[in-house]
Amino acid sequence: MTASRPWRLPRALVRALVAAFALVLVGAVAVALAGQDWSVVSVMLARSDGGRIGLLLAGALLISMAGLGFGYLAWRAVLFELGPPVGEPQVARVFFVTFLSKYVPGKVPGLIAATKVATANGVGFGRLMGTAALSMSLVLLTGLTIGLLAGVHMLGTQVAWLVAVATVLIVVVLVRPQLVNHGAHLVLRVLRRPDPARSASPRGIRFAVVAQGVSWLVTGLHLWLLAIAMGADPVRSLGLCVGAFTLATTVGMLTVVLPDGIGVREAVLTAALTVVLPAPAAAVVAVASRLVSTVGEVALGATALAVAEVAIRRSPASGPVSEPVSEPGPDQASATAPEPTAVPVPATATEPAPARSPAGEK
């Protein structure tokens, strides 16, 4: 009696679904780019010297991509803490497919695609959810902490105690990093998801906290360059722009009803930037920030996925990676089963047996 094997979709159907989702993802990204207000670029270029504004825009784009790169390092550190090692190309593929899936309408298709890509690249569903919960805890913690910088610039020195609160929060997490694990476990319980097989180590959490904090600080500089392009004072606007972008993006993440915090993020940025810019110029910078962030995310994601795909195909062990607990489906059983080999027979067994004596003969 043969053991029953889990049913799986045929390979041809799986490949067709993967190709269909890839087309949907490309289309969703194209729609997101087309839906941006590109007119702000001409508004900024017409304000002063076009060459100078062009350099500021290019610098803002590169800085935005660099900030996302530090965010990837933080997520990668958490992933490695919660399970066995995974190849670097596979990690990049899982992260950027999951990240770019936010442009696909609806949460369910993106979640299904991220889960299938993660499973095919050696990251189980429980580990993926654990990584997401822990990473989101770090993103919100560092985002709200650094975002308090904007409060000081917006409300004045009477709220300078916010800086002390931010400093204490970061120090507490660095001293007692296990608090982040507790927060992630609480998020998973609220979502009714199982806890990961193991928790992140204090060293791994500290690295992820630092990397995510650097990600916020670097990414916020793109808003600073855009504000300078619209006439803001470089010294006065530096801390405000970094804090405002971090706070606006974090608040947008908490507004789960709106995709990617559209509208909320721009409103917070515009309100904060009016401290250093007139309201119309502040609105232009807020819209330009969304444009630069979207283009940077798409450019870095597409580049990283292309490099990862080339690396995986050139790898000697290229091919789909399955979870350790999975078994080959019925359509794979015959292809993966080893061919029977001949069992060596002892030499004595090949010799003819002695003839029996007739009955009664000795």
Side-chain angles (χ1 to χ4, degrees):
M1 181 177 180
T2 59
S4 61
R5 297 183 183 273
W7 180 82
R8 286 187 175 184
L9 294 174
R11 286 185 178 181
L13 180 57
V14 171
R15 291 175 180 174
L17 292 175
V18 170
F21 177 78
L23 291 176
V24 170
L25 180 59
V26 172
V29 169
V31 170
L33 290 175
Q36 299 298 312
D37 188 356
W38 292 85
S39 63
V40 295
V41 177
S42 59
V43 171
M44 300 181 78
L45 290 174
R47 183 174 180 83
S48 61
D49 178 58
R52 173 177 173 272
I53 300 300
L55 289 176
L56 289 173
L57 288 174
L61 178 61
L62 293 176
I63 285 176
S64 179
M65 296 170 64
L68 178 58
F70 281 105
Y72 165 74
L73 292 179
W75 184 89
R76 172 181 174 274
V78 173
L79 179 72
F80 284 172
E81 287 290 324
L82 300 184
V86 182
E88 195 64 45
Q90 286 78 11
V91 174
R93 178 191 274 176
V94 174
F95 175 82
F96 284 103
V97 168
T98 304
F99 185 80
L100 293 178
S101 294
K102 69 179 183 178
Y103 292 108
V104 177
K107 300 292 184 181
V108 176
L111 179 60
I112 294 176
T115 302
K116 295 300 292 182
V117 170
T119 303
N121 288 272
V123 178
F125 179 75
R127 184 179 179 185
L128 181 65
M129 291 296 100
T131 302
L134 187 53
S135 298
M136 183 56 65
S137 300
L138 296 178
V139 168
L140 295 177
L141 173 67
T142 55
L144 292 174
T145 301
I146 297 175
L148 294 177
L149 294 173
V152 177
H153 288 79
M154 294 174 63
L155 303 178
T157 56
Q158 62 268 25
V159 293
W161 56 272
L162 290 174
V163 178
V165 172
T167 304
V168 169
L169 286 175
I170 291 295
V171 170
V172 168
V173 171
L174 293 177
V175 173
R176 297 295 302 273
Q178 293 303 323
L179 293 175
V180 180
N181 273 327
H182 298 328
H185 292 164
L186 178 61
V187 171
L188 290 174
R189 290 193 188 99
V190 171
L191 298 176
R192 297 182 179 180
R193 300 295 183 185
D195 290 339
R198 63 190 190 195
S199 299
S201 67
R203 180 180 179 182
I205 292 178
R206 291 189 183 102
F207 177 86
V209 168
V210 173
Q212 186 58 54
V214 173
S215 174
W216 284 124
L217 293 174
V218 172
T219 309
L221 292 177
H222 92 274
L223 186 69
W224 178 56
L225 294 181
L226 295 176
I228 292 175
M230 290 300 294
D233 178 75
V235 177
R236 187 183 175 198
S237 61
L238 176 57
L240 172 68
C241 289
V242 173
F245 175 80
T246 304
L247 181 63
T249 306
T250 305
V251 172
M253 290 179 180
L254 295 174
T255 312
V256 294
V257 179
L258 300 174
D260 207 18
I262 294 178
V264 175
R265 173 172 148 182
E266 284 73 18
V268 174
L269 284 180
T270 302
L273 289 171
T274 53
V275 176
V276 294
L277 287 171
V284 170
V285 172
V287 175
S289 173
R290 172 73 69 175
L291 173 63
V292 168
S293 298
T294 302
V295 173
E297 291 170 359
V298 172
L300 181 60
T303 303
L305 287 175
V307 172
E309 194 66 27
V310 171
I312 291 173
R313 291 182 179 276
R314 289 183 177 180
S315 174
S318 61
V321 181
S322 58
E323 287 184 293
V325 296
S326 63
E327 295 182 1
D331 59 326
Q332 297 174 331
S334 60
T336 57
E339 298 181 358
T341 56
V343 179
V345 182
T348 55
T350 61
E351 297 177 0
R356 289 188 175 183
S357 302
E361 185 179 343
K362 294 184 181 180

